[in-house]
Amino acid sequence: MKRTLVIANWKMNLNTHEASMLLHRYHQHIATHRDIEVVVAPSMLSLQPLSQEIDRHRFRLSAQDGYYKDEGGFTGEVSFAMMRDLVHYSIIGHSARRIYFNETLEVVREKVAAAVRNGIAPIICIGETKQERDSGETKQVIHDQLTTALRNVTSDEIENIVIAYEPVWAISTFDGEPAKPDDMKKALDYIRFQVRELYGERAAADIRVLYGGSVSDQDAAAFIGIEGCDGVLVGAASLNYAKFAGIVDAAYRVARERE
Ligand code: PGA
């Protein structure tokens, strides 16, 4: 059975001490379950210390990004090769990276390849902007972002990939509003359709596709409960351990109902 994923993206928040405190609260207050995988993505700075503090039986660590070369004169960057023993996952192609740091489709593709090469499972974020949505380009954007990101991924590797549909207009950083379940379902179905076209029926059924964008403890169950939604990528609400615990509980309830 696929495990539901609940991912905490702490973005550029919390120094190492604060990150450690929040992780401690997660340990105390978040009930974890066999069917749910809870992933914590702190800043790059906190990965190393948190990798020693984290209860690996209950939580997994993720990077928020990484550079696609393994080593060399790339001042200021950290490679996936350097993180290979620290993290299980890495977020790649987050809209903040695409928008603020001009990450192109090709850069995202290289990063996905580099993560896979180093044994790190990519959580590939895709999604359209408000403007693209208003001009009816949602499917085209999903198609282009997904097919480019997966270009070097083989059919043996696809099972370790996670796709997060994060419409830019829904993300709190960009003053977003959560997507309507209907919009989300259409996008998720289209993502699975694309995976089927590229890798076949089995891969499309097995791949985990998540939703992200202003998810809260109030609406998490409604999103995760939608057929074809395998979890959520949570930003702002994950900085509050009580809200995040509520989201993990919601995921658990939905997973139990599904059984
Ligand atoms: P949000 O962030 O939940 O704060 O909207 C989601 C994300 O950016 O991954």
Side-chain angles (χ1 to χ4, degrees), residues 9 11 91 94-95 125 166 170-174 212-215 233-238:
N9 177 10
K11 310 189 185 182
I91 296 172
H94 191 277
S95 54
C125 297
E166 294 211 304
I171 295 180
S172 70
T173 315
F174 304 106
S214 301
V215 173
L233 176 43
V234 186
S238 71

Side-chain angles (χ1 to χ4, degrees), residues 62-232:
S62 173
Q64 297 176 12
D65 187 32
Y67 194 56
Y68 59 86
K69 300 279 190 185
D70 285 349
E71 61 181 11
F74 305 99
T75 303
E77 294 296 325
V78 176
S79 70
F80 293 107
M82 290 166 162
M83 296 188 280
R84 58 176 306 150
D85 297 325
L86 294 182
V87 301
H88 190 94
Y89 291 102
S90 179
I91 296 172
I92 296 179
H94 191 277
S95 54
R97 307 267 352 141
R98 296 185 196 256
I99 293 168
Y100 296 144
F101 303 97
N102 303 318
E103 256 182 36
T104 61
L105 297 177
E106 288 68 33
V107 167
V108 173
R109 179 192 65 209
E110 292 302 313
K111 289 187 172 188
V112 169
V116 169
R117 171 167 87 237
N118 285 291
I120 294 171
I123 299 162
I124 304 172
C125 297
I126 59 176
E128 80 285 5
T129 61
K130 178 163 185 331
Q131 200 188 354
E132 289 162 342
R133 179 183 189 225
D134 292 346
S135 41
E137 294 169 29
T138 300
K139 278 190 172 174
Q140 189 63 47
V141 172
I142 291 178
H143 171 272
D144 293 351
Q145 292 183 345
L146 190 65
T147 52
T148 324
L150 295 178
R151 189 151 305 146
N152 298 325
V153 174
T154 66
S155 43
D156 288 339
E157 292 162 348
I158 189 71
E159 63 182 29
N160 290 321
I161 306 272
V162 175
I163 309 291
Y165 172 60
E166 294 211 304
V168 179
W169 47 267
I171 295 180
S172 70
T173 315
F174 304 106
D175 293 328
E177 293 274 319
K180 301 248 180 331
D182 244 20
D183 287 337
M184 185 200 105
K185 167 114 179 82
K186 275 193 210 138
L188 263 50
D189 287 350
Y190 185 65
I191 290 169
R192 238 176 255 288
F193 166 76
Q194 287 298 329
V195 174
R196 186 178 306 123
E197 294 284 288
L198 293 169
Y199 298 95
E201 201 71 50
R202 174 82 192 272
D206 288 353
I207 195 167
R208 287 184 293 179
V209 186
L210 319 181
Y211 167 73
S214 301
V215 173
S216 73
D217 47 337
Q218 305 300 317
D219 57 18
F223 286 120
I224 303 168
I226 288 174
E227 200 199 329
C229 179
D230 301 305
V232 281

